[in-house]
Structure formats: C-alpha cells, structure tokens
Amino acid sequence: MASNDRKPLISGNWKMNHNHFEAIQTIQKLAYALDKDDYQAVDVSVHPPFTDLRSVQTVIQADDIPVALGAQNVHQAANGAFTGEISPTMLQKLDVTYVIVGHSERRELFGETDEIVNAKAKAVLAAGMTPIVCCGETLAERNAGHAESKVAGQISGSLAGLDAVTIGDLVIAYEPIWAIGTGETATPDDAQQMCAHIRSLVMSEWGSTTAASVRIQYGGSVKPGNASELMGQPDIDGALVGGASLDAGDFARIVKFPLYQA
Ligand code: PGA
C-alpha cells in the first residue's frame, strides 16, 4: 500500500450480473475466502444489482461479515413519480454504505452528465452514505492528449458545491474507459500519474488536508495478477473491480493484494 494513512477500498461492481441466488452464493464464498487480517488491511465492498441488495444484506448481517454493502446507481430525488428508479433512502434503509455514481457506463449509455452525477453524489451524502464518484477518459481523448483535461472537468463538475471535509471522506474512482472490460489495464505508471493528477486537482480546489484523505481507486481490468502492482502506487488507494469481482475466489485474491507486495 501507499505510504499514507488511507486504508485501501476494494469494491466489487457486479454490474448487471448475478441473480439473488447467485448473489447469496457469491457473498458467502467471499466471506469464506477472507479473514480478519484481510479486513484489517483493506476495506471491502460489494455492489450487487438492486434486486439482490436485500438478500446480500441479510447474509452480511446474519453471518456478521465485515464487507460493506454498496449500490451501483441511485436516483437523485428523494421520492416521486420516477418510474423504475431507486431513491437514496431506499438504499440507506438496506444498510448500503457506498453508492457508485457516474460510472462510465451510466455516463456513456444512459446520458448522465456531470450535473446529474453531482446531484446524485449530493443525494447520497444527504442520506448518510458515501459516494464513489467515477471519472475517466475514452481512448480517443487519451490519444488526443485530452485525458487530464477531461478528468479535471469531471472532477470539478461532479464534486461542485461540496465542502472540503465532505470531499475528504468520499471516494473517487479513476476508470479509463478504454480499460473497462477490455482486458487492457492502464500501466501502473499511467494509473498512478492520473490518480496523482486527480489528487492535485483536489488539493488546488479543496486544500491539502482534503487531498491527503480522499481515497482514489483505480478501475479497469483489475485482476488478481495485476492488483498488487497497481495498489502499490502511492496515489492509488484501492480498486473498483468489475469482471473479476463476479468470482469470489478471484475477488478475494485481489482483496489480498497486500500479501503479494514486497
Ligand atoms: P472491469 O470493470 O474490471 O470489468 O474492467 C471495472 C468497472 O467498470 O468498474
């Protein structure tokens, strides 16, 4: 882990995978594969589809599993005529701790703008949960040399209006879009460079205390074989894992990355 006080957060984003029976099996297998040393070194969250949340919550509570429950999305309004949507308090009532907002799939496939992501982040915070705010550039943007400015715009737009203390406690996930689900991972150096850039943006807008405490995850084809090197970078404080989180054994090996660090 990096030489700082930030405890890494490894989050499994199951996306639209696992029905509630499969979800129960997965959380049970994960609990079996992890032990107290793992939880001491790393915070762990799983983000099942909405229809699985109640089932996974029940297993976590019945078996006293120190894995935080997370959601993949939320609507920004408290309630009302929004067919098909889920409110922050509905998630909070299920003991959800972390809510992913502005995942690139939400931005690219469902038209979520920085303004919407910002409203969602605020709604999550108002309900007492922690947003994992995602950002990241496309391959075309990277090749055109616009990766840093794209991410800078997403950070200031998505976090607008939040105070320094609040930002210090939330999570930012840097996920280059070209690395998501493609098997193509950013090199540890590239990932580190962008996470350091994000931290410096936070520093210039919200100050050094906030920059030192905000956790920045890397996401994009994180696997058991590359996790420890990525997590060894000084500005990378965890991972948002998609595909490899669906298998409890693979995900547990990623959570155990400190065992593989020199
Ligand atoms: P991946 O997804 O690990 O399958 O690349 C990461 C994510 O989208 O959160």
Side-chain angles (χ1 to χ4, degrees):
M1 178 196 146
S3 53
N4 56 53
D5 294 335
R6 298 183 297 272
K7 190 174 180 189
L9 171 64
I10 305 288
S11 303
N13 173 13
W14 295 357
K15 307 191 180 182
M16 198 172 72
N17 297 288
H18 288 341
N19 62 43
H20 74 285
F21 295 114
E22 295 161 335
I24 288 170
Q25 282 184 340
T26 306
I27 185 66
Q28 284 173 331
K29 282 189 198 158
L30 181 64
Y32 190 72
L34 296 177
D35 59 38
K36 109 173 163 321
D37 290 345
D38 300 320
Y39 298 118
Q40 226 147 46
V42 173
D43 286 338
V44 184
S45 66
V46 292
H47 300 249
F50 288 136
T51 50
D52 302 353
L53 284 174
R54 176 66 175 151
S55 307
V56 176
Q57 178 209 21
T58 304
V59 175
I60 284 176
Q61 290 183 348
D63 296 349
D64 220 357
I65 302 168
V67 168
L69 188 57
Q72 302 173 15
N73 183 29
V74 69
H75 193 272
Q76 58 272 33
N79 53 50
F82 300 103
T83 301
E85 295 294 323
I86 299 290
S87 79
T89 49
M90 291 172 185
L91 298 178
Q92 183 265 324
K93 284 282 178 213
L94 291 167
D95 296 317
V96 164
T97 302
Y98 297 102
V99 184
I100 299 169
V101 295
H103 189 280
S104 64
E105 286 149 18
R106 302 292 324 166
R107 291 176 183 267
E108 303 272 307
L109 303 175
F110 300 98
E112 290 192 10
T113 60
D114 288 332
E115 291 68 32
I116 293 173
V117 176
N118 183 238
K120 291 187 175 196
K122 287 176 174 161
V124 167
L125 288 159
M129 300 176 291
T130 301
I132 297 178
V133 181
C134 300
C135 59
E137 80 286 358
T138 63
L139 189 55
E141 288 161 344
R142 173 156 286 254
N143 289 340
H146 298 151
E148 294 203 345
S149 56
K150 165 80 180 288
V151 167
Q154 288 179 319
I155 292 294
S156 57
S158 304
L159 302 182
L162 295 175
D163 64 64
V165 173
T166 303
I167 290 174
D169 286 338
L170 55 71
V171 182
I172 295 171
Y174 167 57
E175 300 203 300
I177 294 170
W178 47 272
I180 294 178
T182 58
E184 193 146 340
T185 321
T187 65
D189 283 350
D190 283 344
Q192 160 58 24
Q193 204 181 332
M194 187 62 88
C195 291
H197 172 63
I198 292 169
R199 201 174 301 286
S200 75
L201 293 168
V202 171
M203 166 120 79
S204 57
E205 284 207 45
W206 294 283
S208 55
T209 309
T210 301
S213 69
V214 67
R215 290 192 286 187
I216 304 177
Q217 296 177 315
Y218 167 78
S221 297
V222 176
K223 307 277 181 242
N226 60 22
S228 68
E229 206 187 341
L230 286 161
M231 298 305 108
Q233 304 303 313
D235 287 294
I236 300 181
D237 310 316
L240 183 51
V241 185
S245 72
L246 296 176
D247 180 87
D250 284 348
F251 188 57
R253 279 195 289 283
I254 294 171
V255 170
K256 288 174 186 288
F257 77 83
L259 297 178
Y260 303 100
Q261 284 182 328

